[in-house]
Amino acid sequence: MFVAGKKRKAPPSGARTAPSARARTNTSLSAASSALKATEAEINKWYLLGTENARERQYRTSLDYCNRAIALALNENVRNARLYETRAHVLHKLGEYKRAMDDAKEAVIIDSNSTAGYMRIASILAATGKPKDALDVITKGLKTVHAQTSGYTQMDIQRMSIERQLDPTYVPRVDYRLDPIQRLPEDLAVLVLRLLDTRMLAICRAVSRYWMMLIDSVPVLWSRPQFTSSNAIQELMCQLPAYVKPRKLLSRQNHNIPECILRHVLEKSRGSLLSLWFPDGSAVTSATVDALFGHRRPRLSSIDIGRTAIVSETLINRVLNWTLSSQITDIRLPYRSHIGNEAMEVIAREASALRVLDISGCTKVRVKHMFKAWNSVIADAQGSTALEKLYMNDHPGIPELLVYSTKYRHFSNLKVLHMAIRDQGVLSMYAGLGPVMEYLQRIPNAQIPFPGLIELNIDGVWDATIASQRFESINTALLISRCRLLCSGLRRLSALDAAFVGAVLLHASLTDCFSTLQKLHLTRAAGFDSSMLWTLLGAHQQLPLVSLDLSGCVAVDAPAMAALISRCSGLVHVNLSQTPADNTVMAELTRIMSADNATGLEVVVLDTTDITGVAARDFASA
């Protein structure tokens, strides 16, 4: 049927037609959908990065990515349980249990079937000592989550594990077929056990009967007793330079090895003992020493009696008289006040291959008798011993050692010499230096006593001896220069508390060895100024310094310090506390950190300097 009506006019050619309401709605929905997809893609990108870093145990980096993803999701009102599950896992690994618990609960609220959320809550409760609450949570999750959900089986396994923890009658089943030591050949098992220290060997003996029989049947496992510290912080502090170690922490470091452990080591070694070590804090009785004498005479290579080990004079003499032989190369008897000249005569006569000797604090040992004892065993009066390392810290015979060494060559093979003065009471024992100094004055060019010296420790010698204002003590500082201890080729020098040493004496001492030093610790040296440092630098374009400590050297300005650091690309430890160091010095340290071929700074101490926050920020970013 046709109905007549008014004819509609056609639109003119070229005119635009206005979109309808439906078309406008479709366009806006399409734009919103595209924006939402872009947002979800961005969230998924941060989530995947966080998951990947968590899988690689880079938890701090993973936490940053998870925070970005969750912040973006909250801004766009996107609720995703996976984001909170991942962040709860990362926070749990970082030990932030409260925040991890909140994220796990949020994941359960968003998705009631979040198996990872329930398991994370139970794990946190079990880790914080609440296994009953953890069992309640995991049981509730098993009732809530559908049985076909991914992770349901893992939840059931976790429930059974928690129930076993709460059962006091449960005894874990041991599968002896999985014992790695028992499955290995005996020779390979011994090689593995030799990597353990004595403390861990004693623990391994309690694992099983087979382990105990194997460890006790191999004497070589007990041949080198080692008692490492169980405190990880103390082990870390041992790797740092002396100037950054807290004194209180070091003073409390004590091994406290039970006497029964020492006796057990000596009994099980059965004459194969190579290293006799009584650690600090250990109490050695006659029963312990009798366990050593119960077998054939061991072929010891080292004897080390700790400074605070409780050992009587009689026991030490018994050990020395019975164990010393031509194979021994290392004897350390620090701060044993009862050790005297007789013990040195025994050591010189029996230990002909001795390489290391530590008699720090042994005030009864006279250096004159040491030279006599070794003079009687060497063929030539001008001959030398095999001694390479000598430790005479806090010993009153330091001046005698220097003077006698200029005349006799007994210790000319020394490579390491420590003669630090930390006990001011030692200074009162110095005597008879008048003839000594007169003797040196008659020798205008005294021969270098230790031409092969590569390490020298004279902490406190340049300070305490001059400050004491005694004739013997004042002239002790001159012996360092007169005997030319700081010879060319010296690599490590430690001269802490050199407050009163003169500029002329200091410059004469450092001139020959400055270009070869790898370690320079020179603190509170008022005579060490900028002009001397510029002179020492000279034309050297590169210096091998690795450890540098100039704390308290206030006479050295910042440009000189910057020039020194710029020529030391291999620095690892730096201490410039209480110095005029400024941003130019920090810029050089930053350059070392940024260099591709640099080893990288590990310890930097910059207390009380002129460095501002801008330079410190650049250094931290490098």
Side-chain angles (χ1 to χ4, degrees), residues 37-55:
K37 289 181 179 179
T39 302
E40 290 178 351
E42 187 73 12
I43 294 173
N44 190 50
K45 182 186 74 171
W46 297 122
Y47 166 75
L48 292 178
L49 288 173
T51 306
E52 182 181 355
N53 281 273
R55 191 179 298 112

Side-chain angles (χ1 to χ4, degrees), residues 11 41 74 118 145 154 164 168 248 253 265 278 303 347 410 457 476 501 526 573 619:
L74 292 175
Y118 284 111
V145 177
Q154 285 78 5
R164 286 196 296 265
K248 293 184 179 180
Q253 184 176 358
V265 171
F278 296 146
I303 298 176
I347 292 174
H410 295 353
N457 188 327
T476 305
V501 63
H573 303 134
F619 177 78

Side-chain angles (χ1 to χ4, degrees), residues 211-258:
W211 284 40
M212 182 179 64
M213 293 174 60
L214 175 62
I215 294 174
D216 290 347
S217 62
V218 183
V220 71
L221 294 176
W222 307 95
S223 61
R224 295 184 182 274
Q226 294 180 356
F227 300 94
T228 57
S229 174
S230 59
N231 193 337
I233 298 178
Q234 292 178 352
E235 292 179 0
L236 176 62
M237 288 300 173
C238 292
Q239 304 174 9
L240 299 179
Y243 51 76
V244 297
K245 295 179 182 178
R247 294 184 178 179
K248 293 184 179 180
L249 180 62
L250 292 181
S251 63
R252 295 176 183 177
Q253 184 176 358
N254 199 341
H255 296 282
N256 290 328
I257 305 300

Side-chain angles (χ1 to χ4, degrees), residues 33 40 60 98 131 147 156 182-183 267 293 325 392 416 449 461-462 495 500 569 571 586:
S33 177
E40 290 178 351
R60 287 296 177 187
K98 186 177 183 302
D156 195 23
Q182 194 167 0
R183 295 183 66 181
E267 289 175 351
F293 295 159
S325 63
M392 291 185 60
V416 177
V461 174
W462 274 343
F500 297 98
S569 58
L571 279 176
M586 183 59 82

Side-chain angles (χ1 to χ4, degrees), residues 154-295:
Q154 285 78 5
M155 289 181 62
D156 195 23
I157 294 174
Q158 187 178 18
R159 177 189 61 81
M160 292 187 292
S161 175
I162 296 175
E163 287 178 349
R164 286 196 296 265
Q165 294 179 15
L166 294 174
D167 187 5
T169 62
Y170 174 73
V171 178
R173 182 180 178 182
V174 180
D175 189 354
Y176 293 99
R177 293 174 299 176
L178 301 180
D179 187 350
I181 297 297
Q182 194 167 0
R183 295 183 66 181
L184 284 175
E186 185 173 332
D187 52 348
L188 293 181
V190 171
L191 290 177
V192 173
L193 292 173
R194 289 191 68 177
L195 301 176
L196 303 178
D197 65 338
T198 306
R199 188 191 299 272
M200 293 305 300
L201 278 177
I203 295 175
C204 289
R205 291 182 70 256
V207 172
S208 66
R209 185 181 298 274
Y210 177 80
W211 284 40
M212 182 179 64
M213 293 174 60
L214 175 62
I215 294 174
D216 290 347
S217 62
V218 183
V220 71
L221 294 176
W222 307 95
S223 61
R224 295 184 182 274
Q226 294 180 356
F227 300 94
T228 57
S229 174
S230 59
N231 193 337
I233 298 178
Q234 292 178 352
E235 292 179 0
L236 176 62
M237 288 300 173
C238 292
Q239 304 174 9
L240 299 179
Y243 51 76
V244 297
K245 295 179 182 178
R247 294 184 178 179
K248 293 184 179 180
L249 180 62
L250 292 181
S251 63
R252 295 176 183 177
Q253 184 176 358
N254 199 341
H255 296 282
N256 290 328
I257 305 300
E259 190 266 342
C260 60
I261 296 294
L262 294 176
R263 187 169 64 252
H264 177 83
V265 171
L266 298 179
E267 289 175 351
K268 297 302 178 183
S269 64
R270 292 199 290 274
S272 63
L273 195 67
L274 298 178
S275 176
L276 181 61
W277 180 31
F278 296 146
D280 290 341
S282 58
V284 182
T285 62
S286 58
T288 304
V289 179
D290 290 340
L292 176 65
F293 295 159
H295 306 287

Side-chain angles (χ1 to χ4, degrees), residues 419-435:
M419 51 181 193
I421 296 179
R422 303 181 180 94
D423 184 7
Q424 300 299 319
V426 176
L427 302 177
S428 61
M429 303 180 185
Y430 286 174
L433 281 187

